[in-house]
Amino acid sequence: MNIAVIAGTKATSAILCSQLIEVLGTYMSFHPFSVNDWDGNADMDLVLFSSHILFTRNSPVHSKNLADIVIIKRSLTKAGWERIRNLPSGNQYLVVNDERDSVVETISLLYESGLRHVDLVPYYPGVPDKYKIAFAITPGEPQLVPDYVQQTIDIGSRVVDTSTLVEILTRFNLLNHETRKLLDDYAERIVNLSQGLQVTMQGLIDAKNLYEETLNMVQDGVVTYDEKGIVNFLNRTAEKIFAENVWDVTGQKVEHFFRKHGLDVSLLKGQKEIKDQLVTVRKQRVIMNKMRIWGRGGHSESVMIFKIAQKVEELELKLRTQLRDNGHTAKFTFRDIVTRSEQIRRIIARAQKMAKHDSSVLILGENGTGKELFAHSIHNYSPRSPFPFIAVNCSALSESLLESELFGYEDGAFTGARKGGKPGLFEQAHKGTIFLDEIGDISPNLQTRLLRVLQQKEVMKVGGTKVLPVDVRVIAATNRDLYQMVKEGKFREDLYYRLKVLHIEIPPLRERKDDIPPLVQYFLERRGYNRTLSQEIMNALTWYDWPGNIRELENSIEYITIVSDEDISVEELPFISEKLIHHMRDGSAELPDPSHASDISHTLKTGRSPLPMPVPAQYLNIDIERLLLETILEAMAEGRHTGRRNLIHMIRDRGIVLKENQIRKWIDRLKDKNLVEVRIGRSGCNLTVEGYRYLKN
């Protein structure tokens, strides 16, 4: 190895070279240069600068590779130190050297060595002579001491510190028992800064032991080999995987080691890293990774890591279990669904059957009907219940944020990305269930990515290039008409049918008013409210149409328990109006009397009931056949969907309540009379020629 030594002058550089050759001359060659002679183009394996000051002031002459530069740390001989360490305290001493930078470094070295009880004044050729000091200290430059000085102490040239020698040997991988003896002998003659060579060497030995003990604690097998292909270490796990002893394998060629265990030798060729290569060792599946680690001086070592595939799966299962224990759990079961409705009981029975299968589930229903409650219950009733349940509201996040949350991202995928990347929710839900609420609000781009998950059972992180297999059941929910969105091109048809392999539709609270009394009682008990609500209050709660469904009912009960010090009156209900109060008290005690309802001409001409809120159709004197035909005609004219759910909403806007089963029966009658034509599935219906004539007449 050829090493350049650069100093302020050629003479200083020659002195440093002689010191280095004395210790390391057997292993490497040292070449002296002054800073003016060095142009940075010489073919050298390493460049040494005599001081940090010299290095920073001469940046144009630096080596091209900053990793190939070492700043020499200087020290004193023990003989020189003995001449000055007992100087009288408080005296002043000139410190004489050939240039300003050298003087500054020498003073720093003296202070660092412990000479802090005297006052040191710098002196070098050309400095203004302000002081007439009688004593001087010089590192081998007595000829530069001014004539007026009465006593000069020559401590000898500064010498290379052992820490610099250790760094040079480390760069070339030459730190061994042989060179350690040379360093021990050298250290006996100098003042060892940084606690000397013994501390340095002991630190290196401790570091090596710590390195090996750390690798022995790793649960993966680790095998390392050098540039020549010689195995130099196996940790304990690798010994177990290969049934080998570290002492028997160390020193072998790695190719021989591979052939002995039936591994493909071609995996060792080239410098390319190997990631997650599946191999077989002693009849067990093992995941192999290989990488190269570069050290100083161009030295490198290859590291192979072997993971037993079964243990990887066990670890993954443990992590998933921890995710579940950390809050990714379903909190409700079917027992938590409060109902008296026969319709809801049938839906629960159907959902329980669906829970036993792995197909996707689509839950339809208005806001507040309990879609998430059913999703939690399906997961808890399924074989996936021991694994994570992760709920995501797709409408609450922007497209980019939702994408990174669902699929995760790699390190540096975007500005602000967490260092090391982040696993996505699909990855965290592995073996469990992910609930995608408000699925109708996701963008076309996310629809495409979600379809891939459902079809291929794999995800790709944002900014990533690898696909990750996942085993996740998807439950989706929406209050939107996905079929109509498919027709309008707003939702992918293939995704729609992938999501609704199994589907349930939860009716709104206004279509199952039998559930209102038990729900009221449940919410009161949960709030710790002990009083009984009056019959008038219960009538109002039962009669009200609850556009916000169960969520609105729960909020109203919470309002009642907060504001009522004693019995609450109807006037205090949050949804009540004066007209409704007057209507309830002047009419029937429970439901509006037909005498208060508008007749057919008023309702159909104005498009609304005169009552303050929608009224069930059976309490109105109207022609329901004509109402339905006009509503279908209106929907067709506006290009809207004519399915039952849309018809319910349009009729409700007129102030009239028709349940879905009622509309189904009336449409069947209209079909029998050849007034409407019913299309397949949920496609709705059209007026026939006879239907147009009926309305015209």
Side-chain angles (χ1 to χ4, degrees):
M1 277 79 69
N2 291 306
I3 300 177
V5 180
I6 303 173
T9 66
K10 190 72 171 282
T12 302
S13 178
I15 293 172
L16 290 172
C17 281
S18 65
Q19 295 173 4
L20 292 164
I21 291 170
E22 180 184 357
V23 184
L24 304 178
T26 306
Y27 302 95
M28 52 198 75
S29 299
F30 296 91
H31 306 274
F33 293 90
S34 71
V35 71
N36 296 323
D37 296 336
W38 174 254
D39 59 6
N41 294 320
D43 186 14
M44 295 289 166
D45 298 302
L46 186 65
V47 177
L48 306 181
F49 275 84
S50 64
S51 71
H52 191 272
I53 296 175
L54 186 71
F55 173 74
T56 55
R57 288 187 177 178
N58 295 276
S59 57
V61 300
H62 289 176
S63 171
K64 295 177 181 178
N65 185 356
L66 290 179
D68 297 328
I69 293 176
V70 170
I71 308 299
I72 296 175
K73 180 77 172 175
R74 310 281 282 279
S75 184
L76 302 173
T77 64
K78 285 186 177 178
W81 172 246
E82 286 298 323
R83 296 189 188 110
I84 60 173
R85 71 185 185 91
N86 292 321
L87 292 177
S89 298
N91 287 353
Q92 283 190 321
Y93 291 84
L94 285 181
V95 178
V96 181
N97 215 326
D98 58 348
E99 58 180 357
R100 177 182 177 275
D101 292 345
S102 298
V103 172
V104 171
E105 290 178 351
T106 301
I107 291 176
S108 297
L109 174 60
L110 294 175
Y111 281 140
E112 186 178 358
S113 300
L115 192 67
R116 300 182 181 181
H117 56 282
V118 295
D119 188 12
L120 302 178
V121 178
Y123 181 90
Y124 53 91
V127 69
D129 195 359
K130 299 180 181 179
Y131 309 99
K132 299 296 181 181
I133 298 175
F135 308 103
I137 300 172
T138 180
E141 303 281 359
Q143 72 278 9
L144 301 179
V145 177
D147 296 336
Y148 56 79
V149 172
Q150 300 174 13
Q151 181 185 358
T152 299
I153 304 173
D154 188 353
I155 59 176
S157 299
R158 290 178 294 156
V159 294
V160 178
D161 186 57
T162 50
S163 61
T164 300
L165 299 179
V166 170
E167 184 170 3
I168 294 171
L169 290 170
T170 303
R171 293 225 175 193
F172 295 107
N173 197 30
L174 291 173
L175 193 58
N176 52 43
H177 293 291
E178 184 178 343
T179 55
R180 177 179 174 178
K181 188 175 185 307
L182 294 174
L183 293 174
D184 284 339
D185 293 340
Y186 180 73
E188 290 296 324
R189 306 196 304 269
I190 72 169
V191 176
N192 285 301
L193 304 178
S194 304
Q195 301 183 33
L197 174 65
Q198 195 61 37
V199 174
T200 303
M201 293 300 298
Q202 190 59 50
L204 288 172
I205 293 170
D206 291 344
K208 183 175 182 295
N209 291 337
L210 179 61
Y211 155 79
E212 292 184 355
E213 285 304 312
T214 301
L215 289 181
N216 281 326
M217 293 174 64
V218 173
Q219 295 183 0
D220 300 332
V222 179
V223 179
T224 65
Y225 61 94
D226 61 20
E227 294 171 305
K228 297 178 181 179
I230 303 299
V231 177
N232 50 35
F233 181 74
L234 274 77
N235 72 343
R236 293 194 186 104
T237 305
E239 288 181 314
K240 293 178 182 178
I241 292 174
F242 292 97
E244 295 271 15
N245 186 288
V246 61
W247 304 114
D248 295 334
V249 177
T250 302
Q252 285 185 14
K253 295 287 285 186
V254 69
E255 291 89 343
H256 172 73
F257 178 74
F258 260 47
R259 290 191 183 97
K260 181 179 178 181
H261 293 283
L263 298 176
D264 187 359
V265 178
S266 65
L267 295 174
L268 301 171
K269 295 180 180 178
Q271 299 182 6
K272 186 176 181 181
E273 291 187 353
I274 295 175
K275 289 191 176 182
D276 300 331
Q277 176 74 39
L278 197 61
V279 298
T280 301
V281 178
R282 299 176 60 235
K283 298 182 179 180
Q284 62 182 346
R285 307 295 277 171
V286 176
I287 300 170
M288 172 186 169
N289 289 270
K290 187 191 84 170
M291 66 204 73
R292 177 165 290 193
I293 299 174
W294 293 92
R296 294 176 175 177
H299 172 70
S300 70
E301 188 168 282
S302 294
V303 179
M304 296 182 294
I305 299 174
F306 298 89
K307 303 179 182 181
I308 299 176
Q310 182 180 351
K311 290 193 174 183
V312 174
E313 293 178 358
E314 292 172 356
L315 178 61
E316 182 178 301
L317 176 60
K318 184 177 180 180
L319 291 174
R320 306 301 174 191
T321 304
Q322 288 177 354
L323 283 173
R324 181 197 65 191
D325 295 341
N326 289 338
H328 291 308
T329 57
K331 300 177 178 63
F332 307 106
T333 68
F334 288 114
R335 292 189 298 272
D336 295 314
I337 300 176
V338 179
T339 185
R340 287 180 188 169
S341 166
E342 188 61 34
Q343 186 180 9
I344 295 297
R345 289 173 180 170
R346 288 195 301 268
I347 293 174
I348 291 174
R350 193 183 320 145
Q352 288 174 336
K353 292 179 182 178
M354 294 177 180
K356 299 302 181 182
H357 300 273
D358 260 352
S359 301
S360 302
V361 179
L362 180 61
I363 305 176
L364 303 174
E366 296 179 9
N367 286 332
T369 53
K371 299 187 292 296
E372 185 168 356
L373 182 61
F374 269 86
H376 282 249
S377 301
I378 290 172
H379 172 78
N380 272 333
Y381 203 76
S382 75
R384 293 178 178 267
S385 59
F387 301 98
F389 174 86
I390 297 180
V392 188
N393 189 325
C394 298
S395 66
L397 303 173
S398 66
E399 177 184 353
S400 58
L401 183 55
L402 180 60
E403 182 180 26
S404 63
E405 286 295 313
L406 288 177
F407 304 106
Y409 54 80
E410 296 287 0
D411 187 4
F414 51 85
T415 302
R418 180 195 299 175
K419 185 174 179 59
K422 178 184 177 182
L425 295 179
F426 272 106
E427 188 178 348
Q428 296 180 48
H430 186 62
K431 297 289 187 182
T433 304
I434 190 166
F435 173 51
L436 303 176
D437 199 6
E438 307 296 349
I439 190 68
D441 294 337
I442 66 172
S443 67
N445 173 51
L446 287 182
Q447 291 176 30
T448 302
R449 296 204 62 178
L450 179 58
L451 181 63
R452 181 188 181 111
V453 178
L454 294 172
Q455 289 179 331
Q456 308 297 332
K457 300 296 183 182
E458 59 188 25
V459 296
M460 181 183 294
K461 293 184 178 182
V462 176
T465 56
K466 296 189 304 182
V467 294
L468 178 70
V470 292
D471 177 14
V472 178
R473 184 186 197 177
V474 175
I475 299 178
T478 182
N479 64 342
R480 305 181 68 175
D481 189 340
L482 289 188
Y483 183 79
Q484 181 64 24
M485 292 178 66
V486 169
K487 291 179 64 177
E488 296 171 356
K490 297 178 180 178
F491 201 86
R492 290 185 64 121
E493 184 176 16
D494 45 5
L495 176 59
Y496 171 67
Y497 288 111
R498 279 282 180 181
L499 289 172
K500 72 180 292 285
V501 176
L502 303 173
H503 65 281
I504 55 177
E505 188 168 353
I506 305 174
L509 187 57
R510 60 182 172 274
E511 294 184 10
R512 48 184 175 109
K513 295 206 170 183
D514 289 347
D515 282 344
I516 292 177
L519 284 169
V520 169
Q521 186 62 33
Y522 171 76
F523 293 138
L524 287 174
E525 290 176 357
R526 197 167 73 175
R527 298 287 301 180
Y529 189 84
N530 299 321
R531 300 184 184 90
T532 302
L533 299 182
S534 68
Q535 186 60 45
E536 187 179 36
I537 295 293
M538 287 303 301
N539 288 345
L541 293 172
T542 305
W543 192 84
Y544 182 57
D545 222 15
W546 301 110
N549 293 293
I550 299 172
R551 185 177 295 119
E552 184 186 3
L553 174 62
E554 180 180 8
N555 293 341
S556 297
I557 297 303
E558 182 176 355
Y559 174 86
I560 289 173
T561 60
I562 291 174
V563 303
S564 60
D565 295 329
E566 298 179 357
D567 290 337
I568 188 172
S569 64
V570 174
E571 290 86 346
E572 294 178 273
L573 294 176
F575 56 84
I576 211 72
S577 69
E578 291 184 5
K579 290 184 178 179
L580 178 60
I581 296 169
H582 176 76
H583 170 76
M584 290 182 62
R585 290 178 174 171
D586 287 353
S588 168
E590 296 185 5
L591 291 168
D593 190 274
S595 62
H596 294 279
S598 59
D599 61 11
I600 181 173
S601 59
H602 179 88
T603 301
L604 295 181
K605 285 178 183 178
T606 63
R608 293 197 170 276
S609 163
L611 293 176
M613 60 180 63
V615 177
Q618 62 265 36
Y619 296 100
L620 297 172
N621 183 24
I622 60 173
D623 184 342
I624 295 180
E625 285 189 354
R626 181 177 172 185
L627 173 65
L628 272 174
L629 290 173
E630 286 202 350
T631 306
I632 294 170
L633 179 61
E634 179 185 346
M636 291 172 61
E638 295 176 358
R640 298 169 67 180
H641 187 49
T642 56
R644 291 191 298 272
R645 292 187 65 194
N646 198 42
L647 294 177
I648 289 173
H649 290 299
M650 295 180 69
I651 292 172
R652 179 182 172 80
D653 290 341
R654 294 171 177 257
I656 302 167
V657 176
L658 272 178
K659 297 182 180 180
E660 187 171 354
N661 60 341
Q662 291 176 306
I663 287 185
R664 185 185 298 111
K665 291 178 182 178
W666 281 102
I667 287 179
D668 287 342
R669 294 179 188 177
L670 295 174
K671 179 183 175 183
D672 292 340
K673 294 181 180 181
N674 197 29
L675 299 179
V676 297
E677 175 187 11
V678 179
R679 296 194 292 267
I680 298 174
R682 294 180 176 273
S683 302
C685 54
N686 289 330
L687 292 184
T688 63
V689 175
E690 291 297 324
Y692 283 108
R693 288 175 181 169
Y694 179 87
L695 280 179
K696 185 177 181 181
N697 295 329

